[in-house]
Amino acid sequence: MKVILLFIVLTPLIGFLINGIFGKWTKPVAGIIAASALGISFILGLFPIWSVLHGHIVEFTYFTWMPFKGLEVPFGLRVDYVSAVMLFVVTFVSWMIHIYSNGYMAGDRGYARYFAYLNLFVTAMLILVLGNNYLLMFVGWEGVGLASYLLIGFWYEKDTAADAGEKAFVVNRIGDAGFIIGILFLIYHFGSVTYSNVFPRAEEVLGYGSTAATIIGLALFVGAVGKSAQFPLYIWLTDAMEGPTPVSSLIHAATMVTAGVYMVARSNAIYSLAPVAQEVVASVGAFTAFYAATMALTHKDIKRILAYSTLSQLGYMFIGVGVGAYWTGMFHLMTHAFFKGLLFLGAGAVMHSMRGLLSIDLMGNLKKYMPQTAILMVIASLAISGIPPFAGFFSKDAILASALEMGHPIIWIVGEVTAFLTAFYMFRFVFNVFYGEEKVEGLYHDLHTHEAPPVMTIPMWVLGILSIVGGWVGIKFGGHIPFEWFVTHTAPTTEVAHEAHYSEALLMGISVTMGLSGILAAWLIYIKKIITADKIANMFKPIYTLLANTYYVDEFVYCCIVKPFWWVSTNFLWKIVDVILIDKGMVDGAGWIAGRVGRGLRLLQTGFVNNYAYWISMGIIILSGWYLVKII
């Protein structure tokens, strides 16, 4: 098992090295190499998952990575009940995306480079998930950041893609600073960063409600806010759409953005001692869920609609882990990986067929030309809208029910309202793209619009099936919910003094009603056209303008952060510090002094031997005098 666990990480790394070093020669088979590497990694991952299912946590230390004055950081891998879920999600969904990419990226001149980056990304994600300590998690955390920078800016000839890659990299560094502070506090209090040393002693060392527990929880959450794109560090995620669409699926569905949720669930022993930090996590999650959903209402770019929906769904996950029901956050993370992965792959199939067109204003009745994609997108949209028996219903309902039962009625209300908005904007997307009438006559004929090839549709069907049945592990059997039973072995639900109890049927009925109401509203507006979207936009023009411009946050960031920093960088750091102090003061000044000294010394170079003899004699006299003074 020790070797198997190591090779789960090494296999995609080997794929990265092969395509990265020998890409010039492996280009025709680069996709097969990369997808095979992920397939092997997934199959190997089933062994430790099977072991965990039978009650055996798998953990091995391979060597001491960083010995430092009593602090020994091992290179060790661990699969327990939480990381087993992530291991399955990351390897399986990434494998599907690798297979799909073989069709989507065919003919791209950076084909081998793309698959090398893709394998590197998954390698880093597996280190993040399987590492048995916080520093190894941080290595994977940074590796994912690097690989996402490379993938978002994959088409670096486009300025927008290069800028988006830089933006993602810089914004994530802000969150990373918080993560580092959290790790330093852990080292200070525990003298260790290994999970098996920290978590069992957390209550003894930190104590319930202590300042130390709160600081550590908040500092780690700052890292999660950056990586999982929560308010206010979400601004990089929508621009990340500049990368190839399968990359968006990889980042948004199964890997990078879920890392923050995983980290909070993984650190449950600390968060359960820090109620203030938990409150902050749940509140930020609820606010982001609603805030992002409102922005998705007005966008017409199919990828950006899905990007805002990712922000919103991540907010739900943080509600789950924030209220202490960690299993619900992990549950929604898993089901979201299935239906969001499918939504992005479906959007990619549409783009592939429409020669890169993205606006829903140019589409309509695509089901006639892409029937399989249309069916799959409806399945995924029903799942994200929380309609039973689709996967998203069970996980979203579990989160909202937990929020109410754990004493957060306002968060529950926000979550239910957001569920209505989610269903509305997703079916606005579906009805505008796949149903109704063609908006541009002859466009599909000119573009030769057609269904995606099997190499793309087969992975979509696999995710489509999981978008239906993937949530059934949340159905109660024999008095227990299987997924809850599994995850709570490692991440038990926080105990509260006065847990409220409500009728499960009533809560489910409200959730389903909100989802169906959103779908009905979208149907009345975009199919039946009882009132046109333009008329609604004119009726609420100030609000529509605000949402269409995403609350002017980018403009605010540019005016209040980027521009002042740009001014300081240009007028102080460049023109004063760099040009005057460093260039003219230190560099040119040193040259000027050397020149003056040289000109003075040049006076000594007379060419007369008697002058040289004189200075040599003076030197001997001075040295002799100094020596005599010293010995006396």
mmCIF file with all atom_site columns, all heavy atoms in Angstrom, residues 27 127 135 227 260 272 304 314 316 361 389 416 418 447 483 507 519 576 586 611:
data_model
loop_
_atom_site.group_PDB
_atom_site.id
_atom_site.type_symbol
_atom_site.label_atom_id
_atom_site.label_alt_id
_atom_site.label_comp_id
_atom_site.label_asym_id
_atom_site.label_entity_id
_atom_site.label_seq_id
_atom_site.pdbx_PDB_ins_code
_atom_site.Cartn_x
_atom_site.Cartn_y
_atom_site.Cartn_z
_atom_site.occupancy
_atom_site.B_iso_or_equiv
_atom_site.pdbx_formal_charge
_atom_site.auth_seq_id
_atom_site.auth_comp_id
_atom_site.auth_asym_id
_atom_site.auth_atom_id
_atom_site.pdbx_PDB_model_num
ATOM 1   N N   . LYS A 1 27  ? 3.821   14.692 -29.131 1.00 0.00 ? 27  LYS A N   1
ATOM 2   C CA  . LYS A 1 27  ? 2.617   15.495 -29.420 1.00 0.00 ? 27  LYS A CA  1
ATOM 3   C C   . LYS A 1 27  ? 1.443   14.670 -29.965 1.00 0.00 ? 27  LYS A C   1
ATOM 4   O O   . LYS A 1 27  ? 0.305   14.847 -29.511 1.00 0.00 ? 27  LYS A O   1
ATOM 5   C CB  . LYS A 1 27  ? 2.977   16.616 -30.402 1.00 0.00 ? 27  LYS A CB  1
ATOM 6   C CG  . LYS A 1 27  ? 1.844   17.595 -30.624 1.00 0.00 ? 27  LYS A CG  1
ATOM 7   C CD  . LYS A 1 27  ? 2.284   18.774 -31.465 1.00 0.00 ? 27  LYS A CD  1
ATOM 8   C CE  . LYS A 1 27  ? 1.112   19.736 -31.676 1.00 0.00 ? 27  LYS A CE  1
ATOM 9   N NZ  . LYS A 1 27  ? 1.502   20.908 -32.470 1.00 0.00 ? 27  LYS A NZ  1
ATOM 10  N N   . ILE A 1 127 ? -1.064  16.236 -4.053  1.00 0.00 ? 127 ILE A N   1
ATOM 11  C CA  . ILE A 1 127 ? -0.184  16.514 -2.903  1.00 0.00 ? 127 ILE A CA  1
ATOM 12  C C   . ILE A 1 127 ? -0.962  17.289 -1.843  1.00 0.00 ? 127 ILE A C   1
ATOM 13  O O   . ILE A 1 127 ? -0.871  17.016 -0.644  1.00 0.00 ? 127 ILE A O   1
ATOM 14  C CB  . ILE A 1 127 ? 1.057   17.305 -3.369  1.00 0.00 ? 127 ILE A CB  1
ATOM 15  C CG1 . ILE A 1 127 ? 1.952   16.417 -4.242  1.00 0.00 ? 127 ILE A CG1 1
ATOM 16  C CG2 . ILE A 1 127 ? 1.857   17.818 -2.167  1.00 0.00 ? 127 ILE A CG2 1
ATOM 17  C CD1 . ILE A 1 127 ? 3.107   17.149 -4.895  1.00 0.00 ? 127 ILE A CD1 1
ATOM 18  N N   . LEU A 1 135 ? 2.319   21.808 5.955   1.00 0.00 ? 135 LEU A N   1
ATOM 19  C CA  . LEU A 1 135 ? 3.329   22.334 5.032   1.00 0.00 ? 135 LEU A CA  1
ATOM 20  C C   . LEU A 1 135 ? 3.276   21.620 3.687   1.00 0.00 ? 135 LEU A C   1
ATOM 21  O O   . LEU A 1 135 ? 3.467   22.239 2.638   1.00 0.00 ? 135 LEU A O   1
ATOM 22  C CB  . LEU A 1 135 ? 4.728   22.202 5.647   1.00 0.00 ? 135 LEU A CB  1
ATOM 23  C CG  . LEU A 1 135 ? 5.165   23.366 6.543   1.00 0.00 ? 135 LEU A CG  1
ATOM 24  C CD1 . LEU A 1 135 ? 6.606   23.177 7.002   1.00 0.00 ? 135 LEU A CD1 1
ATOM 25  C CD2 . LEU A 1 135 ? 5.033   24.708 5.825   1.00 0.00 ? 135 LEU A CD2 1
ATOM 26  N N   . LYS A 1 227 ? -8.181  30.967 -2.358  1.00 0.00 ? 227 LYS A N   1
ATOM 27  C CA  . LYS A 1 227 ? -8.160  29.794 -3.248  1.00 0.00 ? 227 LYS A CA  1
ATOM 28  C C   . LYS A 1 227 ? -9.559  29.429 -3.726  1.00 0.00 ? 227 LYS A C   1
ATOM 29  O O   . LYS A 1 227 ? -9.737  28.991 -4.866  1.00 0.00 ? 227 LYS A O   1
ATOM 30  C CB  . LYS A 1 227 ? -7.517  28.615 -2.496  1.00 0.00 ? 227 LYS A CB  1
ATOM 31  C CG  . LYS A 1 227 ? -7.129  27.450 -3.359  1.00 0.00 ? 227 LYS A CG  1
ATOM 32  C CD  . LYS A 1 227 ? -6.038  27.807 -4.369  1.00 0.00 ? 227 LYS A CD  1
ATOM 33  C CE  . LYS A 1 227 ? -4.677  27.922 -3.720  1.00 0.00 ? 227 LYS A CE  1
ATOM 34  N NZ  . LYS A 1 227 ? -3.645  28.379 -4.676  1.00 0.00 ? 227 LYS A NZ  1
ATOM 35  N N   . GLY A 1 260 ? -10.116 25.189 -0.635  1.00 0.00 ? 260 GLY A N   1
ATOM 36  C CA  . GLY A 1 260 ? -10.398 25.921 0.597   1.00 0.00 ? 260 GLY A CA  1
ATOM 37  C C   . GLY A 1 260 ? -11.441 25.222 1.449   1.00 0.00 ? 260 GLY A C   1
ATOM 38  O O   . GLY A 1 260 ? -11.319 25.160 2.677   1.00 0.00 ? 260 GLY A O   1
ATOM 39  N N   . SER A 1 272 ? -13.958 23.651 15.270  1.00 0.00 ? 272 SER A N   1
ATOM 40  C CA  . SER A 1 272 ? -14.971 23.311 16.275  1.00 0.00 ? 272 SER A CA  1
ATOM 41  C C   . SER A 1 272 ? -14.665 23.952 17.630  1.00 0.00 ? 272 SER A C   1
ATOM 42  O O   . SER A 1 272 ? -15.533 24.023 18.497  1.00 0.00 ? 272 SER A O   1
ATOM 43  C CB  . SER A 1 272 ? -15.072 21.784 16.427  1.00 0.00 ? 272 SER A CB  1
ATOM 44  O OG  . SER A 1 272 ? -15.586 21.227 15.235  1.00 0.00 ? 272 SER A OG  1
ATOM 45  N N   . ARG A 1 304 ? -19.084 32.755 -18.276 1.00 0.00 ? 304 ARG A N   1
ATOM 46  C CA  . ARG A 1 304 ? -19.116 33.616 -17.087 1.00 0.00 ? 304 ARG A CA  1
ATOM 47  C C   . ARG A 1 304 ? -20.360 33.337 -16.233 1.00 0.00 ? 304 ARG A C   1
ATOM 48  O O   . ARG A 1 304 ? -20.323 33.457 -15.011 1.00 0.00 ? 304 ARG A O   1
ATOM 49  C CB  . ARG A 1 304 ? -19.049 35.085 -17.495 1.00 0.00 ? 304 ARG A CB  1
ATOM 50  C CG  . ARG A 1 304 ? -17.654 35.470 -17.960 1.00 0.00 ? 304 ARG A CG  1
ATOM 51  C CD  . ARG A 1 304 ? -17.503 36.936 -18.243 1.00 0.00 ? 304 ARG A CD  1
ATOM 52  N NE  . ARG A 1 304 ? -16.167 37.211 -18.753 1.00 0.00 ? 304 ARG A NE  1
ATOM 53  C CZ  . ARG A 1 304 ? -15.132 37.554 -17.999 1.00 0.00 ? 304 ARG A CZ  1
ATOM 54  N NH1 . ARG A 1 304 ? -15.288 37.689 -16.708 1.00 0.00 ? 304 ARG A NH1 1
ATOM 55  N NH2 . ARG A 1 304 ? -13.941 37.771 -18.521 1.00 0.00 ? 304 ARG A NH2 1
ATOM 56  N N   . LEU A 1 314 ? -19.867 27.461 -4.183  1.00 0.00 ? 314 LEU A N   1
ATOM 57  C CA  . LEU A 1 314 ? -18.810 27.390 -3.167  1.00 0.00 ? 314 LEU A CA  1
ATOM 58  C C   . LEU A 1 314 ? -19.283 28.042 -1.870  1.00 0.00 ? 314 LEU A C   1
ATOM 59  O O   . LEU A 1 314 ? -18.934 27.600 -0.766  1.00 0.00 ? 314 LEU A O   1
ATOM 60  C CB  . LEU A 1 314 ? -17.543 28.087 -3.675  1.00 0.00 ? 314 LEU A CB  1
ATOM 61  C CG  . LEU A 1 314 ? -16.760 27.329 -4.746  1.00 0.00 ? 314 LEU A CG  1
ATOM 62  C CD1 . LEU A 1 314 ? -15.754 28.248 -5.419  1.00 0.00 ? 314 LEU A CD1 1
ATOM 63  C CD2 . LEU A 1 314 ? -16.037 26.133 -4.144  1.00 0.00 ? 314 LEU A CD2 1
ATOM 64  N N   . TYR A 1 316 ? -22.293 27.942 -0.734  1.00 0.00 ? 316 TYR A N   1
ATOM 65  C CA  . TYR A 1 316 ? -23.062 26.899 -0.043  1.00 0.00 ? 316 TYR A CA  1
ATOM 66  C C   . TYR A 1 316 ? -22.142 25.956 0.726   1.00 0.00 ? 316 TYR A C   1
ATOM 67  O O   . TYR A 1 316 ? -22.430 25.573 1.860   1.00 0.00 ? 316 TYR A O   1
ATOM 68  C CB  . TYR A 1 316 ? -23.883 26.090 -1.052  1.00 0.00 ? 316 TYR A CB  1
ATOM 69  C CG  . TYR A 1 316 ? -25.198 26.712 -1.438  1.00 0.00 ? 316 TYR A CG  1
ATOM 70  C CD1 . TYR A 1 316 ? -25.403 27.228 -2.696  1.00 0.00 ? 316 TYR A CD1 1
ATOM 71  C CD2 . TYR A 1 316 ? -26.251 26.762 -0.525  1.00 0.00 ? 316 TYR A CD2 1
ATOM 72  C CE1 . TYR A 1 316 ? -26.620 27.793 -3.066  1.00 0.00 ? 316 TYR A CE1 1
ATOM 73  C CE2 . TYR A 1 316 ? -27.467 27.324 -0.880  1.00 0.00 ? 316 TYR A CE2 1
ATOM 74  C CZ  . TYR A 1 316 ? -27.646 27.834 -2.154  1.00 0.00 ? 316 TYR A CZ  1
ATOM 75  O OH  . TYR A 1 316 ? -28.859 28.390 -2.499  1.00 0.00 ? 316 TYR A OH  1
ATOM 76  N N   . ASP A 1 361 ? -27.138 35.501 -26.675 1.00 0.00 ? 361 ASP A N   1
ATOM 77  C CA  . ASP A 1 361 ? -27.960 36.273 -27.621 1.00 0.00 ? 361 ASP A CA  1
ATOM 78  C C   . ASP A 1 361 ? -27.808 35.773 -29.057 1.00 0.00 ? 361 ASP A C   1
ATOM 79  O O   . ASP A 1 361 ? -28.594 36.148 -29.928 1.00 0.00 ? 361 ASP A O   1
ATOM 80  C CB  . ASP A 1 361 ? -27.568 37.758 -27.564 1.00 0.00 ? 361 ASP A CB  1
ATOM 81  C CG  . ASP A 1 361 ? -28.173 38.442 -26.348 1.00 0.00 ? 361 ASP A CG  1
ATOM 82  O OD1 . ASP A 1 361 ? -29.064 37.840 -25.725 1.00 0.00 ? 361 ASP A OD1 1
ATOM 83  O OD2 . ASP A 1 361 ? -27.736 39.560 -26.011 1.00 0.00 ? 361 ASP A OD2 1
ATOM 84  N N   . PRO A 1 389 ? -34.807 13.797 -8.290  1.00 0.00 ? 389 PRO A N   1
ATOM 85  C CA  . PRO A 1 389 ? -33.817 13.061 -7.485  1.00 0.00 ? 389 PRO A CA  1
ATOM 86  C C   . PRO A 1 389 ? -32.385 13.350 -7.915  1.00 0.00 ? 389 PRO A C   1
ATOM 87  O O   . PRO A 1 389 ? -31.512 12.508 -7.740  1.00 0.00 ? 389 PRO A O   1
ATOM 88  C CB  . PRO A 1 389 ? -34.190 11.606 -7.804  1.00 0.00 ? 389 PRO A CB  1
ATOM 89  C CG  . PRO A 1 389 ? -34.576 11.655 -9.269  1.00 0.00 ? 389 PRO A CG  1
ATOM 90  C CD  . PRO A 1 389 ? -35.224 13.008 -9.491  1.00 0.00 ? 389 PRO A CD  1
ATOM 91  N N   . GLU A 1 416 ? -32.069 29.788 0.806   1.00 0.00 ? 416 GLU A N   1
ATOM 92  C CA  . GLU A 1 416 ? -33.300 29.453 0.054   1.00 0.00 ? 416 GLU A CA  1
ATOM 93  C C   . GLU A 1 416 ? -33.549 30.465 -1.068  1.00 0.00 ? 416 GLU A C   1
ATOM 94  O O   . GLU A 1 416 ? -33.927 30.089 -2.182  1.00 0.00 ? 416 GLU A O   1
ATOM 95  C CB  . GLU A 1 416 ? -34.505 29.399 1.001   1.00 0.00 ? 416 GLU A CB  1
ATOM 96  C CG  . GLU A 1 416 ? -34.482 28.259 2.010   1.00 0.00 ? 416 GLU A CG  1
ATOM 97  C CD  . GLU A 1 416 ? -34.649 26.882 1.367   1.00 0.00 ? 416 GLU A CD  1
ATOM 98  O OE1 . GLU A 1 416 ? -34.821 26.816 0.131   1.00 0.00 ? 416 GLU A OE1 1
ATOM 99  O OE2 . GLU A 1 416 ? -34.588 25.880 2.104   1.00 0.00 ? 416 GLU A OE2 1
ATOM 100 N N   . THR A 1 418 ? -31.274 32.189 -2.550  1.00 0.00 ? 418 THR A N   1
ATOM 101 C CA  . THR A 1 418 ? -30.235 31.918 -3.552  1.00 0.00 ? 418 THR A CA  1
ATOM 102 C C   . THR A 1 418 ? -30.598 30.690 -4.388  1.00 0.00 ? 418 THR A C   1
ATOM 103 O O   . THR A 1 418 ? -30.282 30.631 -5.585  1.00 0.00 ? 418 THR A O   1
ATOM 104 C CB  . THR A 1 418 ? -28.869 31.713 -2.858  1.00 0.00 ? 418 THR A CB  1
ATOM 105 O OG1 . THR A 1 418 ? -28.593 32.854 -2.044  1.00 0.00 ? 418 THR A OG1 1
ATOM 106 C CG2 . THR A 1 418 ? -27.756 31.534 -3.873  1.00 0.00 ? 418 THR A CG2 1
ATOM 107 N N   . LEU A 1 447 ? -21.845 27.899 -39.624 1.00 0.00 ? 447 LEU A N   1
ATOM 108 C CA  . LEU A 1 447 ? -20.817 27.377 -38.709 1.00 0.00 ? 447 LEU A CA  1
ATOM 109 C C   . LEU A 1 447 ? -20.721 25.850 -38.755 1.00 0.00 ? 447 LEU A C   1
ATOM 110 O O   . LEU A 1 447 ? -19.859 25.274 -38.102 1.00 0.00 ? 447 LEU A O   1
ATOM 111 C CB  . LEU A 1 447 ? -21.133 27.817 -37.273 1.00 0.00 ? 447 LEU A CB  1
ATOM 112 C CG  . LEU A 1 447 ? -21.085 29.325 -36.995 1.00 0.00 ? 447 LEU A CG  1
ATOM 113 C CD1 . LEU A 1 447 ? -21.509 29.606 -35.554 1.00 0.00 ? 447 LEU A CD1 1
ATOM 114 C CD2 . LEU A 1 447 ? -19.677 29.879 -37.226 1.00 0.00 ? 447 LEU A CD2 1
ATOM 115 N N   . PHE A 1 483 ? -23.343 8.920  3.510   1.00 0.00 ? 483 PHE A N   1
ATOM 116 C CA  . PHE A 1 483 ? -22.237 9.869  3.339   1.00 0.00 ? 483 PHE A CA  1
ATOM 117 C C   . PHE A 1 483 ? -21.889 10.538 4.674   1.00 0.00 ? 483 PHE A C   1
ATOM 118 O O   . PHE A 1 483 ? -20.718 10.745 5.000   1.00 0.00 ? 483 PHE A O   1
ATOM 119 C CB  . PHE A 1 483 ? -22.603 10.922 2.298   1.00 0.00 ? 483 PHE A CB  1
ATOM 120 C CG  . PHE A 1 483 ? -21.420 11.716 1.827   1.00 0.00 ? 483 PHE A CG  1
ATOM 121 C CD1 . PHE A 1 483 ? -20.633 11.263 0.780   1.00 0.00 ? 483 PHE A CD1 1
ATOM 122 C CD2 . PHE A 1 483 ? -21.073 12.910 2.444   1.00 0.00 ? 483 PHE A CD2 1
ATOM 123 C CE1 . PHE A 1 483 ? -19.518 11.988 0.358   1.00 0.00 ? 483 PHE A CE1 1
ATOM 124 C CE2 . PHE A 1 483 ? -19.973 13.636 2.030   1.00 0.00 ? 483 PHE A CE2 1
ATOM 125 C CZ  . PHE A 1 483 ? -19.186 13.172 0.982   1.00 0.00 ? 483 PHE A CZ  1
ATOM 126 N N   . LEU A 1 507 ? -38.867 21.087 5.240   1.00 0.00 ? 507 LEU A N   1
ATOM 127 C CA  . LEU A 1 507 ? -37.664 21.760 4.720   1.00 0.00 ? 507 LEU A CA  1
ATOM 128 C C   . LEU A 1 507 ? -37.390 21.348 3.272   1.00 0.00 ? 507 LEU A C   1
ATOM 129 O O   . LEU A 1 507 ? -37.042 22.181 2.430   1.00 0.00 ? 507 LEU A O   1
ATOM 130 C CB  . LEU A 1 507 ? -36.446 21.435 5.598   1.00 0.00 ? 507 LEU A CB  1
ATOM 131 C CG  . LEU A 1 507 ? -36.515 21.967 7.037   1.00 0.00 ? 507 LEU A CG  1
ATOM 132 C CD1 . LEU A 1 507 ? -35.232 21.623 7.785   1.00 0.00 ? 507 LEU A CD1 1
ATOM 133 C CD2 . LEU A 1 507 ? -36.748 23.469 7.052   1.00 0.00 ? 507 LEU A CD2 1
ATOM 134 N N   . ILE A 1 519 ? -37.281 27.867 -11.947 1.00 0.00 ? 519 ILE A N   1
ATOM 135 C CA  . ILE A 1 519 ? -37.410 27.298 -13.300 1.00 0.00 ? 519 ILE A CA  1
ATOM 136 C C   . ILE A 1 519 ? -38.674 27.832 -13.985 1.00 0.00 ? 519 ILE A C   1
ATOM 137 O O   . ILE A 1 519 ? -38.659 28.203 -15.156 1.00 0.00 ? 519 ILE A O   1
ATOM 138 C CB  . ILE A 1 519 ? -37.440 25.758 -13.227 1.00 0.00 ? 519 ILE A CB  1
ATOM 139 C CG1 . ILE A 1 519 ? -36.109 25.224 -12.680 1.00 0.00 ? 519 ILE A CG1 1
ATOM 140 C CG2 . ILE A 1 519 ? -37.718 25.155 -14.603 1.00 0.00 ? 519 ILE A CG2 1
ATOM 141 C CD1 . ILE A 1 519 ? -36.110 23.746 -12.361 1.00 0.00 ? 519 ILE A CD1 1
ATOM 142 N N   . ILE A 1 576 ? 11.823  57.808 -7.973  1.00 0.00 ? 576 ILE A N   1
ATOM 143 C CA  . ILE A 1 576 ? 12.631  58.281 -6.839  1.00 0.00 ? 576 ILE A CA  1
ATOM 144 C C   . ILE A 1 576 ? 13.567  57.184 -6.334  1.00 0.00 ? 576 ILE A C   1
ATOM 145 O O   . ILE A 1 576 ? 14.790  57.340 -6.336  1.00 0.00 ? 576 ILE A O   1
ATOM 146 C CB  . ILE A 1 576 ? 11.715  58.791 -5.698  1.00 0.00 ? 576 ILE A CB  1
ATOM 147 C CG1 . ILE A 1 576 ? 10.937  60.017 -6.180  1.00 0.00 ? 576 ILE A CG1 1
ATOM 148 C CG2 . ILE A 1 576 ? 12.538  59.124 -4.464  1.00 0.00 ? 576 ILE A CG2 1
ATOM 149 C CD1 . ILE A 1 576 ? 9.959   60.571 -5.175  1.00 0.00 ? 576 ILE A CD1 1
ATOM 150 N N   . MET A 1 586 ? 23.360  55.381 -5.881  1.00 0.00 ? 586 MET A N   1
ATOM 151 C CA  . MET A 1 586 ? 24.261  54.287 -5.520  1.00 0.00 ? 586 MET A CA  1
ATOM 152 C C   . MET A 1 586 ? 25.139  53.845 -6.689  1.00 0.00 ? 586 MET A C   1
ATOM 153 O O   . MET A 1 586 ? 26.367  53.766 -6.562  1.00 0.00 ? 586 MET A O   1
ATOM 154 C CB  . MET A 1 586 ? 23.437  53.107 -4.990  1.00 0.00 ? 586 MET A CB  1
ATOM 155 C CG  . MET A 1 586 ? 22.669  53.459 -3.703  1.00 0.00 ? 586 MET A CG  1
ATOM 156 S SD  . MET A 1 586 ? 21.537  52.185 -3.158  1.00 0.00 ? 586 MET A SD  1
ATOM 157 C CE  . MET A 1 586 ? 22.702  50.921 -2.682  1.00 0.00 ? 586 MET A CE  1
ATOM 158 N N   . ASN A 1 611 ? 60.320  59.996 -7.979  1.00 0.00 ? 611 ASN A N   1
ATOM 159 C CA  . ASN A 1 611 ? 59.031  60.187 -7.286  1.00 0.00 ? 611 ASN A CA  1
ATOM 160 C C   . ASN A 1 611 ? 58.512  58.871 -6.709  1.00 0.00 ? 611 ASN A C   1
ATOM 161 O O   . ASN A 1 611 ? 58.009  58.816 -5.580  1.00 0.00 ? 611 ASN A O   1
ATOM 162 C CB  . ASN A 1 611 ? 57.989  60.743 -8.254  1.00 0.00 ? 611 ASN A CB  1
ATOM 163 C CG  . ASN A 1 611 ? 58.195  62.235 -8.478  1.00 0.00 ? 611 ASN A CG  1
ATOM 164 O OD1 . ASN A 1 611 ? 58.995  62.865 -7.795  1.00 0.00 ? 611 ASN A OD1 1
ATOM 165 N ND2 . ASN A 1 611 ? 57.497  62.795 -9.453  1.00 0.00 ? 611 ASN A ND2 1
#
